[in-house]
Amino acid sequence: MATSSRRSYTFSSNLRMFIFLFLTAKPISSFAHQALHNNPSFDPHISLFGDARVEDGSSNVQLTRSHAPSSGLLLLDKPFKSTSVRNVDQPTSFSTEFSFSIAPGNCDGLAFVLIPNGFHTRFQGQGPFGLSGENTFLGIEFDTKKDDKAGNFNANHVRIDIHGLESVRVSNLSSLNLVLNNGDVLKSWVEYDSSSKLLQVRLSKHDQNRPLNPILAYQIDLIEMWGNEDVFVGIISTANAESSQISSNVNVYSWRFRVRAVQSWMHSLPADPRGYMDKDSKEVREEKGKSCALTILARLIFATGCGALFAFLVLFMWAISVSRHTVFPVKCELGHNDFRYEKVNVIVEKEDQCDKV
Ligand SMILES: *[C@@H]1O[C@H](CO)[C@@H](O)[C@H](O)[C@H]1NC(C)=O
């Protein structure tokens, strides 16, 4: 009797706990989730947290509300591992591209982050990009706040932040004729190559192609940073109620994320990190150009060989058919004795010649 009441008590407390968790958990807008699920511009299985939502009838995600404070997070459901799942020694590379717009107004901008498991439960939007207190993340921040920390930077820069301590690289977008928060749609590419351990960030206007030169490049060993830990990939925007109460709308129009395991034999290829760092993609491009030229040459040689072989075959067949045609009428005149004799004579002469030599 006592055990059954205790059991029912624990059951009801579990139920209460469940209901409590259910009600207090940061809402994942399941509707928005569905809406994104059928959107070809987005990876499937992206969850929305905080104020992030998909407006009725629109195909883009609005990350923040127009009243500060507001914060929104897009997070891929599947974690990223710095090493391959099957082989721990095999590092993984990734590439991602997303397009976004930031309207003029008060907000921190937008950040692309790789951050350890459980961030969505800790995400309260506090501090720039809700990252204060986080200490093992990699963030690319498209920052629309004047930065007093990193060399008094203007309110229009992109930076790479590691561990939440400091910016390791900053790019002044004003000198590149790009403006983050004029409402224009921009597109960014963030790529990490695990063999050269190089992280590259590119940014362009939405209708332009992927630029050849990155705006930022930084060498970092993600395996050293996270080992085999699960890391989640997200896009964040925050607007803190500091100065004005009107925050700017931040929209995300597309987002795709790709992972590629690098073979360990490729990993051992010599990569001069300094060369990569300084001359960046130029060297990579030259390398690519060289190998491209070589493959073209190889293909050309192969094609020429095939053509020659084909031509030879055609000639051979033609020769056979021609000789058949010429032999045939001869066969028909089998009754012609002179011809036969002549032929025999020729053969005999030839044999004589051979003997003389
Ligand atoms: C950023 O670039 C603009 C335009 O070239 C320049 O006026 C400004 O001083 C630069 N800011 C910093 C912090 O370098």
Side-chain angles (χ1 to χ4, degrees):
M1 204 52 200
T3 50
S4 95
S5 73
R6 201 183 303 147
R7 210 175 285 157
S8 72
Y9 170 74
T10 49
F11 173 74
S12 71
S13 75
N14 278 350
L15 188 69
R16 245 182 290 150
M17 190 67 168
F18 175 74
I19 290 170
F20 173 76
L21 282 176
F22 186 76
L23 292 178
T24 55
K26 273 268 176 181
I28 305 172
S29 166
S30 56
F31 166 73
H33 199 285
Q34 272 316 102
L36 272 194
H37 195 73
N38 299 321
N39 189 331
S41 304
F42 287 85
D43 263 337
H45 315 302
I46 294 175
S47 291
L48 292 84
F49 297 90
D51 298 325
R53 66 185 180 279
V54 179
E55 288 282 328
D56 280 345
S58 98
S59 59
N60 52 291
V61 177
Q62 198 174 314
L63 274 180
T64 49
R65 278 182 288 123
S66 50
H67 292 283
S70 177
S71 58
L73 166 69
L74 285 183
L75 203 70
L76 284 184
D77 294 343
K78 261 179 77 178
F80 164 77
K81 268 189 201 296
S82 337
T83 56
S84 158
V85 180
R86 268 170 282 142
N87 183 357
V88 176
D89 295 330
Q90 215 178 58
T92 29
S93 300
F94 71 80
S95 65
T96 189
E97 54 180 272
F98 51 92
S99 52
F100 62 95
S101 70
I102 305 170
N106 160 46
C107 86
D108 296 327
L110 181 119
F112 170 78
V113 287
L114 277 88
I115 196 156
N117 199 356
F119 175 65
H120 62 285
T121 58
R122 302 187 295 271
F123 181 67
Q124 302 292 329
Q126 267 149 20
F129 304 111
L131 291 169
S132 54
E134 298 294 328
N135 42 33
T136 49
F137 70 87
L138 165 66
I140 319 296
E141 297 173 8
F142 300 82
D143 210 327
T144 54
K145 273 249 160 77
K146 200 166 178 307
D147 194 349
D148 299 325
K149 265 195 312 192
N152 209 5
F153 234 86
N154 63 358
N156 187 36
H157 61 271
V158 180
R159 62 181 198 206
I160 301 178
D161 268 14
I162 304 233
H163 297 301
L165 291 176
E166 55 188 304
S167 307
V168 290
R169 286 284 182 282
V170 189
S171 171
N172 180 1
L173 291 183
S174 305
S175 54
L176 297 171
N177 267 332
L178 286 166
V179 182
L180 280 179
N181 64 347
N182 63 0
D184 284 353
V185 181
L186 300 171
K187 191 167 183 185
S188 180
W189 294 257
V190 179
E191 286 140 13
Y192 179 69
D193 177 45
S194 61
S195 54
S196 59
K197 300 187 177 63
L198 191 67
L199 178 76
Q200 294 187 331
V201 182
R202 288 175 168 79
L203 183 71
S204 80
K205 297 203 172 107
H206 178 61
D207 48 1
Q208 286 168 359
N209 288 333
R210 177 179 172 277
L212 284 173
N213 294 319
I215 55 166
L216 288 174
Y218 182 65
Q219 212 190 20
I220 179 174
D221 190 344
L222 293 186
I223 295 182
E224 203 175 87
M225 194 161 156
W226 290 309
N228 203 29
E229 200 181 339
D230 274 352
V231 171
F232 281 78
V233 187
I235 292 179
I236 309 170
S237 180
T238 48
N240 293 307
E242 283 165 6
S243 44
S244 80
Q245 289 295 302
I246 304 297
S247 78
S248 55
N249 279 336
V250 175
N251 286 303
V252 178
Y253 301 89
S254 66
W255 181 25
R256 297 225 151 246
F257 184 83
R258 293 281 168 272
V259 160
R260 176 169 53 89
V262 172
Q263 300 297 321
S264 31
W265 60 265
M266 277 181 79
H267 192 52
S268 61
L269 278 178
D272 179 12
R274 296 219 165 264
Y276 269 100
M277 282 301 293
D278 297 334
K279 286 153 208 165
D280 274 338
S281 53
K282 221 181 211 174
E283 286 205 353
V284 182
R285 248 184 297 140
E286 275 169 12
E287 282 291 309
K288 268 188 188 166
K290 267 183 215 164
S291 64
C292 196
L294 273 179
T295 46
I296 286 174
L297 191 70
R299 275 179 198 164
L300 236 136
I301 290 169
F302 181 71
T304 318
C306 281
L309 194 70
F310 182 70
F312 175 75
L313 272 173
V314 167
L315 274 174
F316 186 69
M317 298 306 279
W318 179 75
I320 284 176
S321 71
V322 164
S323 66
R324 258 193 203 159
H325 280 285
T326 46
V327 163
F328 200 64
V330 173
K331 269 188 183 172
C332 276
E333 297 169 67
L334 272 180
H336 214 287
N337 288 341
D338 293 350
F339 181 77
R340 254 192 177 175
Y341 286 128
E342 252 178 18
K343 208 176 186 183
V344 169
N345 285 342
V346 168
I347 290 165
V348 169
E349 268 177 26
K350 264 190 181 170
E351 273 173 0
D352 283 347
Q353 275 176 351
C354 282
D355 286 341
K356 274 174 209 162
V357 172

